[in-house]
Coordinates of all heavy atoms in Angstrom, one line a residue:
M1 N 5.6 -32.3 38.1 CA 4.9 -31.8 36.8 C 5.4 -30.4 36.6 O 5.4 -29.5 37.5 CB 3.4 -31.8 37.0 CG 2.6 -31.3 35.9 SD 0.8 -31.3 36.2 CE 0.4 -32.7 35.2
S2 N 5.8 -30.0 35.3 CA 6.3 -28.7 35.0 C 5.1 -27.8 34.8 O 4.0 -28.2 34.3 CB 7.2 -28.7 33.8 OG 6.5 -29.2 32.7
P3 N 5.2 -26.5 35.1 CA 4.1 -25.6 34.9 C 3.9 -25.4 33.4 O 4.8 -25.5 32.6 CB 4.6 -24.2 35.5 CG 6.1 -24.4 35.6 CD 6.4 -25.8 35.6
R4 N 2.6 -25.2 33.1 CA 2.3 -24.9 31.6 C 1.9 -23.5 31.5 O 1.1 -23.0 32.3 CB 1.1 -25.8 31.2 CG 1.4 -27.3 31.3 CD 0.3 -28.2 31.0 NE 0.0 -28.1 29.6 CZ -1.1 -28.7 29.0 NH1 -2.0 -29.3 29.8 NH2 -1.3 -28.6 27.8
V5 N 2.4 -22.9 30.5 CA 2.1 -21.5 30.2 C 1.3 -21.4 28.9 O 1.7 -22.0 27.9 CB 3.4 -20.6 30.0 CG1 3.0 -19.2 29.7 CG2 4.2 -20.6 31.3
M6 N 0.2 -20.9 29.0 CA -0.7 -20.7 27.8 C -1.0 -19.3 27.6 O -1.4 -18.6 28.5 CB -2.1 -21.5 28.0 CG -1.8 -23.0 28.2 SD -3.3 -23.9 28.4 CE -3.8 -24.0 26.7
R7 N -0.6 -18.8 26.5 CA -0.7 -17.4 26.2 C -1.6 -17.2 24.9 O -1.2 -17.7 23.8 CB 0.6 -16.8 26.0 CG 0.7 -15.3 25.9 CD 2.2 -14.8 26.0 NE 2.2 -13.4 25.9 CZ 2.9 -12.8 25.0 NH1 3.6 -13.4 24.1 NH2 2.9 -11.4 24.9
F8 N -2.6 -16.4 24.9 CA -3.4 -16.1 23.8 C -3.3 -14.7 23.4 O -3.4 -13.8 24.2 CB -4.9 -16.5 24.1 CG -5.1 -17.9 24.4 CD1 -5.1 -18.4 25.7 CD2 -5.2 -18.8 23.4 CE1 -5.2 -19.7 26.0 CE2 -5.4 -20.2 23.6 CZ -5.4 -20.6 24.9
V9 N -2.9 -14.4 22.2 CA -2.7 -13.0 21.8 C -3.6 -12.7 20.6 O -3.6 -13.5 19.6 CB -1.2 -12.8 21.4 CG1 -1.0 -11.4 20.8 CG2 -0.3 -13.1 22.6
E10 N -4.2 -11.7 20.6 CA -5.1 -11.3 19.5 C -4.4 -10.1 18.7 O -3.9 -9.2 19.4 CB -6.4 -10.8 20.0 CG -7.4 -10.3 19.0 CD -8.7 -10.0 19.6 OE1 -9.2 -10.7 20.5 OE2 -9.3 -8.9 19.2
W11 N -4.3 -10.2 17.4 CA -3.6 -9.2 16.6 C -4.7 -8.4 15.8 O -5.7 -9.0 15.4 CB -2.6 -9.8 15.6 CG -1.4 -10.3 16.2 CD1 -1.3 -11.5 16.8 CD2 -0.2 -9.6 16.4 NE1 0.0 -11.6 17.2 CE2 0.7 -10.5 17.0 CE3 0.2 -8.4 16.0 CZ2 2.0 -10.1 17.2 CZ3 1.5 -8.0 16.2 CH2 2.4 -8.8 16.9
T12 N -4.5 -7.1 15.7 CA -5.3 -6.3 14.9 C -4.4 -5.5 14.0 O -3.1 -5.3 14.3 CB -6.2 -5.3 15.6 OG1 -5.3 -4.5 16.4 CG2 -7.1 -6.0 16.5
I13 N -4.9 -5.0 12.9 CA -4.1 -4.2 12.0 C -4.9 -3.0 11.5 O -6.1 -3.1 11.3 CB -3.5 -5.0 10.8 CG1 -2.5 -4.2 10.0 CG2 -4.6 -5.5 9.9 CD1 -1.6 -5.1 9.1
G14 N -4.2 -1.9 11.4 CA -4.9 -0.6 10.9 C -4.0 0.5 10.9 O -2.8 0.3 11.0
A15 N -4.5 1.7 10.7 CA -3.7 2.9 10.6 C -3.0 3.1 11.9 O -3.5 2.6 12.9 CB -4.6 4.1 10.3
P16 N -1.9 3.7 11.9 CA -1.2 4.0 13.2 C -2.2 4.7 14.2 O -3.0 5.5 13.8 CB -0.1 5.0 12.8 CG 0.2 4.6 11.3 CD -1.1 4.3 10.8
R17 N -2.0 4.4 15.4 CA -2.9 4.8 16.5 C -3.0 6.3 16.4 O -2.1 7.1 16.4 CB -2.3 4.4 17.8 CG -3.3 4.7 19.0 CD -2.6 4.2 20.3 NE -2.2 2.7 20.1 CZ -2.8 1.7 20.7 NH1 -3.9 1.9 21.4 NH2 -2.4 0.5 20.5
G18 N -4.3 6.8 16.4 CA -4.6 8.2 16.4 C -4.6 8.8 15.1 O -4.7 10.0 15.0
E19 N -4.2 8.1 14.0 CA -4.1 8.7 12.7 C -5.3 8.2 11.8 O -5.6 7.0 11.9 CB -2.8 8.4 12.0 CG -1.6 9.0 12.7 CD -0.3 8.7 12.0 OE1 -0.4 8.3 10.8 OE2 0.8 8.8 12.5
A20 N -5.7 9.1 10.9 CA -6.7 8.6 9.9 C -5.8 7.9 8.8 O -4.7 8.3 8.6 CB -7.4 9.8 9.3
P21 N -6.4 6.9 8.1 CA -5.6 6.3 7.0 C -5.2 7.4 6.0 O -6.1 8.2 5.6 CB -6.6 5.3 6.4 CG -7.6 5.1 7.5 CD -7.7 6.3 8.3
K22 N -4.0 7.4 5.5 CA -3.6 8.4 4.5 C -3.0 7.7 3.3 O -1.8 7.4 3.2 CB -2.5 9.3 5.1 CG -2.9 10.1 6.3 CD -1.8 10.9 6.8 CE -2.1 11.5 8.2 NZ -0.9 12.0 8.8
P23 N -3.8 7.3 2.4 CA -3.3 6.5 1.2 C -2.4 7.4 0.3 O -2.7 8.5 0.2 CB -4.5 6.0 0.5 CG -5.6 6.9 1.0 CD -5.3 7.4 2.3
V24 N -1.5 6.7 -0.3 CA -0.7 7.4 -1.4 C -1.1 6.6 -2.6 O -1.3 5.4 -2.5 CB 0.8 7.5 -1.1 CG1 1.1 8.4 0.0 CG2 1.4 6.1 -0.9
I25 N -1.1 7.3 -3.8 CA -1.6 6.7 -5.0 C -0.4 6.7 -5.9 O 0.4 7.6 -6.0 CB -2.7 7.5 -5.6 CG1 -3.9 7.8 -4.6 CG2 -3.2 6.9 -7.0 CD1 -4.5 6.6 -4.2
L26 N -0.3 5.6 -6.7 CA 0.7 5.6 -7.8 C 0.1 4.7 -8.9 O -0.8 3.9 -8.7 CB 2.1 5.1 -7.4 CG 2.2 3.7 -6.9 CD1 2.6 2.7 -7.9 CD2 3.2 3.7 -5.7
V27 N 0.6 4.9 -10.1 CA 0.2 4.0 -11.2 C 1.4 3.3 -11.8 O 2.5 3.9 -11.7 CB -0.5 4.8 -12.3 CG1 -1.9 5.2 -11.9 CG2 0.3 5.9 -12.9
R28 N 1.2 2.1 -12.2 CA 2.3 1.3 -12.8 C 1.9 0.8 -14.2 O 0.8 0.3 -14.4 CB 2.6 0.1 -11.9 CG 3.7 -0.8 -12.4 CD 3.9 -2.0 -11.5 NE 4.4 -1.5 -10.2 CZ 4.1 -2.1 -9.1 NH1 3.3 -3.2 -9.0 NH2 4.5 -1.6 -7.9
C29 N 2.8 1.0 -15.1 CA 2.5 0.6 -16.5 C 2.4 -0.9 -16.6 O 3.3 -1.6 -16.0 CB 3.6 1.2 -17.4 SG 3.4 0.8 -19.2
L30 N 1.5 -1.4 -17.3 CA 1.3 -2.9 -17.5 C 1.9 -3.4 -18.8 O 1.8 -4.6 -19.0 CB -0.2 -3.2 -17.3 CG -0.8 -3.0 -16.0 CD1 -2.3 -3.4 -16.0 CD2 -0.1 -3.8 -14.9
E31 N 2.4 -2.5 -19.6 CA 3.0 -3.0 -20.9 C 4.2 -4.0 -20.6 O 5.0 -3.7 -19.7 CB 3.6 -1.8 -21.6 CG 4.1 -2.2 -23.0 CD 3.1 -2.5 -24.0 OE1 1.9 -2.1 -23.8 OE2 3.4 -3.0 -25.0
P32 N 4.1 -5.2 -21.2 CA 5.2 -6.2 -20.9 C 6.5 -5.6 -21.2 O 6.7 -4.9 -22.2 CB 4.9 -7.3 -21.8 CG 3.4 -7.2 -22.1 CD 3.1 -5.7 -22.1
G33 N 7.5 -5.7 -20.2 CA 8.8 -5.2 -20.4 C 9.0 -3.8 -20.0 O 10.1 -3.3 -19.9
C34 N 7.9 -3.1 -19.6 CA 8.0 -1.7 -19.1 C 7.7 -1.7 -17.6 O 6.6 -2.0 -17.3 CB 7.0 -0.8 -19.8 SG 7.1 0.9 -19.3
D35 N 8.7 -1.4 -16.8 CA 8.5 -1.4 -15.3 C 8.3 -0.1 -14.7 O 8.4 0.1 -13.5 CB 9.8 -2.1 -14.7 CG 10.0 -3.5 -15.1 OD1 9.0 -4.2 -15.4 OD2 11.2 -3.9 -15.1
Q36 N 7.9 0.8 -15.6 CA 7.9 2.2 -15.1 C 6.6 2.5 -14.2 O 5.6 1.9 -14.5 CB 8.0 3.2 -16.2 CG 9.4 3.2 -16.9 CD 9.5 4.3 -17.9 OE1 9.1 5.4 -17.6 NE2 10.1 4.0 -19.0
E37 N 6.8 3.3 -13.2 CA 5.7 3.7 -12.4 C 5.8 5.2 -12.0 O 6.9 5.7 -11.9 CB 5.5 2.8 -11.2 CG 6.6 2.8 -10.2 CD 6.5 1.8 -9.0 OE1 5.8 0.8 -9.3 OE2 7.0 2.0 -8.0
S38 N 4.7 5.8 -11.6 CA 4.8 7.2 -11.2 C 5.4 7.3 -9.8 O 5.5 6.3 -9.1 CB 3.3 7.7 -11.2 OG 2.6 7.1 -10.2
E39 N 5.6 8.5 -9.4 CA 6.0 8.7 -8.0 C 4.7 8.5 -7.2 O 3.6 8.8 -7.7 CB 6.5 10.1 -7.8 CG 7.7 10.5 -8.5 CD 9.0 9.9 -7.8 OE1 9.0 9.8 -6.6 OE2 9.9 9.4 -8.6
A40 N 4.8 8.1 -5.9 CA 3.6 8.1 -5.0 C 3.2 9.5 -4.6 O 4.1 10.3 -4.4 CB 4.0 7.2 -3.8
S41 N 1.9 9.7 -4.6 CA 1.5 11.0 -4.3 C 0.1 10.9 -3.5 O -0.6 9.9 -3.6 CB 1.2 11.8 -5.6 OG 0.4 13.0 -5.4
R42 N -0.2 11.9 -2.8 CA -1.5 11.9 -2.1 C -2.6 12.3 -3.0 O -3.8 12.3 -2.6 CB -1.4 12.9 -0.9 CG -0.4 12.6 0.1 CD -1.0 12.1 1.4 NE 0.0 11.9 2.3 CZ 0.3 10.7 2.8 NH1 -0.4 9.6 2.4 NH2 1.2 10.5 3.7
S43 N -2.3 12.7 -4.3 CA -3.3 13.2 -5.2 C -3.4 12.2 -6.4 O -2.4 11.8 -6.9 CB -2.9 14.5 -5.7 OG -3.7 14.9 -6.8
H44 N -4.7 11.8 -6.7 CA -4.9 11.1 -8.0 C -4.4 11.8 -9.2 O -4.0 11.2 -10.1 CB -6.4 10.8 -8.1 CG -6.9 9.7 -7.3 ND1 -6.9 8.4 -7.8 CD2 -7.4 9.6 -6.0 CE1 -7.4 7.6 -6.8 NE2 -7.7 8.4 -5.8
M45 N -4.5 13.1 -9.1 CA -4.2 14.0 -10.3 C -2.7 13.7 -10.7 O -2.4 13.7 -11.9 CB -4.4 15.5 -9.9 CG -5.8 15.8 -9.7 SD -6.9 15.8 -11.1 CE -6.3 17.2 -12.0
D46 N -1.8 13.7 -9.8 CA -0.4 13.4 -10.1 C -0.2 12.1 -10.8 O 0.5 12.0 -11.8 CB 0.5 13.5 -8.9 CG 0.5 14.9 -8.2 OD1 0.3 15.9 -8.9 OD2 0.7 14.9 -7.0
A47 N -0.9 11.1 -10.3 CA -0.7 9.7 -10.9 C -1.3 9.7 -12.3 O -0.8 9.2 -13.3 CB -1.4 8.7 -10.0
D48 N -2.5 10.3 -12.5 CA -3.2 10.4 -13.8 C -2.3 11.2 -14.8 O -2.2 10.7 -15.9 CB -4.6 11.0 -13.6 CG -5.6 10.1 -12.9 OD1 -5.2 9.0 -12.6 OD2 -6.6 10.6 -12.6
R49 N -1.8 12.3 -14.3 CA -1.0 13.1 -15.2 C 0.2 12.3 -15.7 O 0.6 12.3 -16.9 CB -0.5 14.4 -14.5 CG 0.2 15.3 -15.4 CD 0.6 16.6 -14.7 NE -0.6 17.3 -14.1 CZ -0.8 17.4 -12.8 NH1 0.0 17.0 -11.9 NH2 -1.9 18.0 -12.3
W50 N 0.9 11.6 -14.8 CA 2.1 10.8 -15.1 C 1.6 9.8 -16.2 O 2.3 9.6 -17.2 CB 2.7 10.1 -13.9 CG 3.8 9.2 -14.3 CD1 5.2 9.6 -14.4 CD2 3.8 7.9 -14.7 NE1 5.9 8.6 -14.8 CE2 5.1 7.5 -15.0 CE3 2.8 6.9 -14.9 CZ2 5.5 6.2 -15.5 CZ3 3.1 5.7 -15.3 CH2 4.5 5.3 -15.6
A51 N 0.5 9.0 -15.9 CA 0.1 8.0 -16.9 C -0.2 8.6 -18.3 O 0.2 8.0 -19.3 CB -1.1 7.3 -16.3
L52 N -0.8 9.7 -18.3 CA -1.1 10.3 -19.6 C 0.1 10.8 -20.3 O 0.2 10.6 -21.6 CB -2.1 11.5 -19.4 CG -3.5 11.1 -18.9 CD1 -4.4 12.3 -18.6 CD2 -4.2 10.2 -20.0
Q53 N 1.1 11.3 -19.6 CA 2.3 11.7 -20.2 C 3.1 10.5 -20.7 O 3.7 10.4 -21.8 CB 3.2 12.5 -19.2 CG 2.6 13.8 -19.0 CD 3.4 14.6 -17.9 OE1 4.1 14.0 -17.1 NE2 3.2 15.9 -17.8
H54 N 3.1 9.4 -19.9 CA 3.7 8.1 -20.3 C 3.0 7.6 -21.5 O 3.8 7.1 -22.4 CB 3.7 7.2 -19.1 CG 4.4 5.9 -19.4 ND1 5.8 5.8 -19.3 CD2 4.0 4.6 -19.7 CE1 6.2 4.5 -19.6 NE2 5.1 3.8 -19.8
A55 N 1.7 7.6 -21.6 CA 1.0 7.1 -22.8 C 1.4 7.9 -24.0 O 1.6 7.4 -25.1 CB -0.5 7.2 -22.5
G56 N 1.5 9.2 -23.8 CA 1.8 10.1 -25.0 C 3.2 9.8 -25.5 O 3.5 9.8 -26.7
R57 N 4.2 9.5 -24.6 CA 5.6 9.2 -25.0 C 5.8 7.9 -25.6 O 6.6 7.7 -26.5 CB 6.5 9.3 -23.8 CG 6.9 10.7 -23.4 CD 8.1 10.7 -22.4 NE 7.9 9.8 -21.3 CZ 7.4 10.0 -20.1 NH1 6.8 11.2 -19.9 NH2 7.3 9.1 -19.2
T58 N 5.0 6.9 -25.0 CA 5.3 5.5 -25.3 C 4.2 4.7 -26.1 O 4.5 3.7 -26.7 CB 5.6 4.7 -24.0 OG1 4.3 4.7 -23.3 CG2 6.7 5.3 -23.2
G59 N 3.0 5.2 -26.0 CA 1.8 4.5 -26.6 C 1.3 3.4 -25.7 O 0.4 2.7 -26.1
H60 N 1.9 3.3 -24.5 CA 1.4 2.3 -23.5 C 0.1 2.8 -22.9 O 0.1 3.9 -22.4 CB 2.5 2.0 -22.4 CG 3.8 1.6 -23.0 ND1 5.0 1.5 -22.2 CD2 4.1 1.1 -24.2 CE1 5.9 1.1 -22.9 NE2 5.5 0.8 -24.1
T61 N -0.9 1.9 -22.9 CA -2.2 2.4 -22.5 C -2.8 1.7 -21.3 O -3.9 2.1 -20.9 CB -3.2 2.2 -23.7 OG1 -3.2 0.9 -24.1 CG2 -2.8 3.1 -24.9
E62 N -2.2 0.7 -20.7 CA -2.8 0.0 -19.5 C -2.0 0.2 -18.3 O -0.8 0.0 -18.4 CB -3.1 -1.5 -19.9 CG -4.0 -1.6 -21.0 CD -4.5 -3.1 -21.1 OE1 -4.6 -3.8 -20.1 OE2 -4.8 -3.5 -22.2
Y63 N -2.7 0.5 -17.2 CA -2.0 0.8 -15.9 C -2.7 0.1 -14.7 O -3.9 -0.1 -14.8 CB -2.0 2.3 -15.7 CG -1.3 3.0 -16.8 CD1 -1.9 3.4 -18.0 CD2 0.1 3.3 -16.7 CE1 -1.3 4.0 -19.0 CE2 0.8 3.9 -17.8 CZ 0.1 4.3 -19.0 OH 0.7 4.8 -20.0
D64 N -1.9 -0.1 -13.7 CA -2.5 -0.5 -12.4 C -2.5 0.8 -11.6 O -1.4 1.5 -11.5 CB -1.7 -1.5 -11.7 CG -2.2 -3.0 -11.9 OD1 -3.3 -3.1 -12.3 OD2 -1.4 -3.9 -11.6
E65 N -3.5 1.0 -10.9 CA -3.5 2.1 -9.9 C -3.4 1.4 -8.5 O -4.1 0.5 -8.2 CB -4.8 2.9 -9.9 CG -4.8 4.0 -8.9 CD -6.1 4.9 -9.0 OE1 -7.1 4.4 -8.5 OE2 -6.1 6.0 -9.6
I66 N -2.4 1.9 -7.8 CA -2.1 1.2 -6.5 C -2.2 2.3 -5.4 O -1.6 3.4 -5.5 CB -0.6 0.7 -6.5 CG1 -0.5 -0.3 -7.7 CG2 -0.2 0.1 -5.2 CD1 0.9 -0.5 -8.2
A67 N -3.0 2.0 -4.4 CA -3.2 2.8 -3.2 C -2.4 2.1 -2.1 O -2.7 1.0 -1.8 CB -4.6 3.0 -2.9
R68 N -1.5 2.8 -1.4 CA -0.7 2.3 -0.3 C -1.1 3.1 0.9 O -1.1 4.3 0.9 CB 0.8 2.4 -0.6 CG 1.3 1.6 -1.7 CD 2.8 1.7 -1.8 NE 3.3 0.9 -3.0 CZ 4.5 1.2 -3.6 NH1 5.2 2.2 -3.2 NH2 4.8 0.4 -4.5
C69 N -1.2 2.3 2.0 CA -1.4 3.0 3.3 C -0.4 2.3 4.3 O -0.2 1.0 4.2 CB -2.8 2.6 3.8 SG -4.1 3.6 3.3
R70 N 0.1 3.1 5.2 CA 0.9 2.5 6.2 C 0.0 1.9 7.3 O -0.9 2.5 7.7 CB 1.9 3.5 6.8 CG 2.9 2.9 7.8 CD 4.0 3.9 8.1 NE 3.5 5.0 8.9 CZ 3.7 5.0 10.2 NH1 4.2 4.0 10.9 NH2 3.2 6.0 10.9
L71 N 0.3 0.6 7.6 CA -0.5 -0.1 8.6 C 0.4 -0.5 9.8 O 1.6 -0.8 9.5 CB -1.2 -1.3 8.0 CG -2.2 -1.0 6.8 CD1 -2.7 -2.3 6.3 CD2 -3.3 -0.1 7.3
V72 N -0.2 -0.6 10.9 CA 0.6 -1.1 12.0 C -0.2 -2.3 12.6 O -1.4 -2.2 12.9 CB 0.7 0.1 13.1 CG1 1.4 -0.5 14.3 CG2 1.5 1.2 12.5
A73 N 0.5 -3.4 12.9 CA -0.1 -4.5 13.5 C 0.2 -4.4 15.1 O 1.3 -4.1 15.5 CB 0.5 -5.8 13.1
T74 N -0.8 -4.5 15.8 CA -0.7 -4.4 17.3 C -1.3 -5.7 18.0 O -2.2 -6.2 17.4 CB -1.4 -3.2 17.9 OG1 -2.7 -3.2 17.5 CG2 -0.7 -1.9 17.4
Q75 N -0.7 -6.0 19.1 CA -1.3 -7.2 19.8 C -1.9 -6.8 21.1 O -1.5 -5.8 21.7 CB -0.2 -8.2 20.0 CG 0.9 -7.8 20.8 CD 2.0 -8.9 21.0 OE1 1.9 -10.0 20.4 NE2 3.0 -8.6 21.7
K76 N -2.9 -7.5 21.4 CA -3.7 -7.3 22.7 C -3.8 -8.6 23.3 O -4.4 -9.6 22.8 CB -5.0 -6.7 22.3 CG -5.9 -6.3 23.6 CD -7.1 -5.5 23.2 CE -8.2 -6.5 22.7 NZ -9.4 -5.8 22.4
E77 N -3.3 -8.8 24.5 CA -3.4 -10.0 25.2 C -4.8 -10.1 25.8 O -5.4 -9.1 26.2 CB -2.4 -10.2 26.4 CG -1.0 -10.4 25.8 CD 0.0 -10.7 26.9 OE1 -0.4 -11.5 27.8 OE2 1.1 -10.2 26.9
R78 N -5.4 -11.3 25.9 CA -6.7 -11.4 26.4 C -6.7 -12.4 27.6 O -5.8 -13.1 27.8 CB -7.7 -11.8 25.4 CG -7.4 -13.0 24.6 CD -8.4 -13.2 23.5 NE -7.9 -14.2 22.6 CZ -8.6 -15.3 22.3 NH1 -9.8 -15.5 22.7 NH2 -8.1 -16.2 21.4
Ligands
ZN1 ZN1 5.1 1.8 -20.1

């Protein structure tokens, strides 16, 4: 009889170890055919300013606000 190996691994996901979550914010224009988006920034003010300037230039008025965080998946054997 061959030996059987059973391995159970639990995964978790979160901010890199020892770091607080640090989201970056960007906004993306939702006007069909317009793929423009702001630079990612740690400040809402930068994204809002970009959207208002974009609205002023183009008349485009709807945006998605996107918050991105770097996450790390780690495994813990049990
Ligand atoms: Zn646009």
Side-chain angles (χ1 to χ4, degrees):
M1 176 183 258
S2 61
R4 297 175 73 186
V5 176
M6 300 181 79
R7 187 168 181 241
F8 298 94
V9 177
E10 182 177 315
W11 285 86
T12 60
I13 192 163
R17 189 178 306 254
E19 293 183 19
K22 296 177 191 168
V24 293
I25 309 297
L26 63 95
V27 291
R28 178 178 299 145
C29 181
L30 293 178
E31 183 74 16
C34 182
D35 297 332
Q36 293 190 42
E37 64 185 27
S38 70
E39 295 288 323
S41 171
R42 298 250 182 247
S43 167
H44 280 271
M45 297 290 286
D46 294 334
D48 290 352
R49 185 178 305 113
W50 179 89
L52 293 173
Q53 290 172 343
H54 186 74
R57 281 194 313 272
T58 64
H60 301 167
T61 57
E62 294 191 31
Y63 300 88
D64 264 344
E65 181 178 76
I66 301 159
R68 292 182 181 157
C69 279
R70 187 165 71 96
L71 301 176
V72 175
T74 55
Q75 62 181 2
K76 180 172 82 176
E77 290 189 41
R78 55 184 169 126

